[in-house]
Amino acid sequence: TMTLISYYLGLRARAEAPRMMLAYASIPHQCVDISMKEWPAKKEAGDICHFGQLPSLKLADGTLISQSGSITRYVAKIAKLYPEDPVAAAEADMIFELSQEMGGINPILNYFPVGQPLWKEKYEEYFASLPRWMGAAEKLLGDKNFFGGPAPHYGD
């Protein structure tokens, strides 16, 4: 039986949530990290990426899914972490989208040269928004353990 194959670069960012959900749900999968040296040829070949970017997810039947949000929602559904109720699903999507916005910390910490004007600008923008994001998230979470209630959903 072929398992799912998750392709990404050797870093934790846009493939992390679906990979964590696959592990949480004990869904057989393989994580393939593409090195920066390999990436230009893989990108040119296009066999693991529709749009010249990663992450991507290859299904057992060979179907390739690209775009991190699409991959995350697909995995959430097969892992039974995507709510069936449309309102609960929209709320889970809302928390997931907030996490995507908060992911803007990655290039600040891992890409922009520290202390340079662009780094300083992005750092200040991010940390100016952080109290608003965290305050809203804290209010939504309330006294629950998970945003979804008694059990986690993919937004958690």
Side-chain angles (χ1 to χ4, degrees):
T1 301
M2 184 177 163
T3 62
L4 301 173
I5 303 172
S6 169
Y7 296 100
Y8 198 49
L9 305 170
L11 51 99
R12 292 185 174 173
R14 296 191 177 271
E16 197 69 10
R19 287 177 173 185
M20 289 171 66
M21 288 188 290
L22 289 166
Y24 175 82
S26 300
I27 296 173
H29 65 284
Q30 178 184 0
C31 296
V32 176
D33 291 331
I34 308 299
S35 72
M36 291 300 185
K37 185 177 180 180
E38 297 173 287
W39 175 232
K42 295 284 189 186
K43 182 178 181 177
E44 181 68 27
D47 60 331
I48 62 166
C49 56
H50 291 298
F51 308 114
Q53 59 193 29
L54 294 174
S56 62
L57 181 70
K58 186 174 280 189
L59 308 185
D61 69 0
T63 300
L64 186 69
I65 300 173
S66 296
Q67 300 292 51
S68 59
S70 299
I71 294 165
T72 299
R73 284 184 293 278
Y74 172 80
V75 170
K77 289 172 185 175
I78 65 170
K80 306 289 190 240
L81 295 170
Y82 195 89
E84 291 182 24
D85 175 74
V87 173
E91 290 172 339
D93 289 339
M94 175 178 67
I95 299 301
F96 170 74
E97 293 299 334
L98 173 63
S99 75
Q100 294 299 94
E101 286 184 46
M102 292 178 77
I105 191 68
N106 281 330
I108 295 167
L109 297 177
N110 300 310
Y111 180 73
F112 298 125
V114 174
Q116 296 297 312
L118 182 59
W119 176 87
K120 186 173 176 16
E121 174 189 336
K122 297 297 182 183
Y123 180 94
E124 289 174 1
E125 285 175 9
Y126 185 87
F127 285 98
S129 298
L130 191 59
R132 184 180 73 248
W133 292 333
M134 296 305 289
E138 185 177 26
K139 186 176 177 182
L140 288 167
L141 183 60
D143 62 357
K144 302 176 295 212
N145 290 329
F146 303 103
F147 288 102
H153 60 42
Y154 94 105
D156 288 290

